[in-house]
Amino acid sequence: MEEKFYMIASFDFAADAQILKGKLEAEGIPAFMQNENTLNAENPRNAIKLQVYSKDKEKAIEIYNEIRAYAIDDDGNPIACPNCKATKSEAYYERKSLFHKLFPFFEPRKYKCLNCGIITKPG
C-alpha cells in the first residue's frame, strides 16, 4: 500500500528538525526528514523538510504548534501582527538575491504571521 506524506515544516538546520522529529516520535507519530544530509552550502534554499504520514497530519500539526517558538521582540514580548493582531509570527527571510542566498544573516529580518500570512518588517 502506498503511503502519502504531509510536510509539517521545513528547517534551515538539521538540529531544529531533529527536535520536532523526536517529539513527534515520542508521541507515536513516525516522522521522516528529507534533505537531511544535503549540504546547505550547495543550495541555501535546500531546507530540511520534516514529513509525516498524511493520516497523522492533524495530530502532528497540533504537537508542532504546542512546541513551536514564535517570534519575540528585544524585551521578550511576542511580535503582534499589525493586520490581525495575532501573536503567532515567525522570522521570515526571502533570500531573493544571490548575496542573501550566500549570506542570509545580512538580510533584514521580517516576520510572517502564521494566522493571516502577512509579511511585515519590525518596528
Side-chain angles (χ1 to χ4, degrees):
M1 181 171 136
E2 183 179 324
E3 296 281 351
K4 299 217 182 235
F5 293 95
Y6 176 79
M7 185 182 75
I8 291 295
S10 63
F11 299 90
D12 290 330
F13 303 103
D16 295 335
Q18 283 289 356
I19 291 169
L20 178 56
K21 183 178 188 282
K23 176 66 173 169
L24 290 170
E25 289 176 344
E27 297 287 335
I29 299 173
F32 310 91
M33 290 174 39
Q34 183 182 30
N35 300 336
E36 177 181 11
N37 297 316
T38 303
L39 184 62
N40 285 340
E42 291 177 13
N43 183 358
R45 290 186 158 251
N46 200 8
I48 297 151
K49 297 171 178 67
L50 189 66
Q51 300 176 323
V52 297
Y53 291 121
S54 293
K55 65 182 177 68
D56 296 323
K57 170 185 169 183
E58 299 304 320
K59 182 67 176 167
I61 290 171
E62 184 180 311
I63 291 168
Y64 182 39
N65 286 336
E66 287 175 9
I67 67 168
R68 174 183 276 186
Y70 297 108
I72 56 174
D73 63 16
D74 293 336
D75 297 324
N77 300 314
I79 301 289
C81 173
N83 185 49
C84 70
K85 308 301 183 225
T87 56
K88 294 184 176 184
S89 294
E90 289 183 330
Y92 176 80
Y93 300 97
E94 293 177 316
R95 298 182 183 164
K96 285 186 176 180
S97 71
L98 177 61
F99 179 77
H100 288 135
K101 287 178 185 177
L102 295 173
F103 306 102
F105 43 86
F106 283 120
E107 183 176 351
R109 180 177 293 200
K110 296 177 187 165
Y111 297 102
K112 181 176 183 178
C113 177
L114 300 174
N115 189 50
C116 70
I118 192 170
I119 298 169
T120 59
K121 294 180 183 178

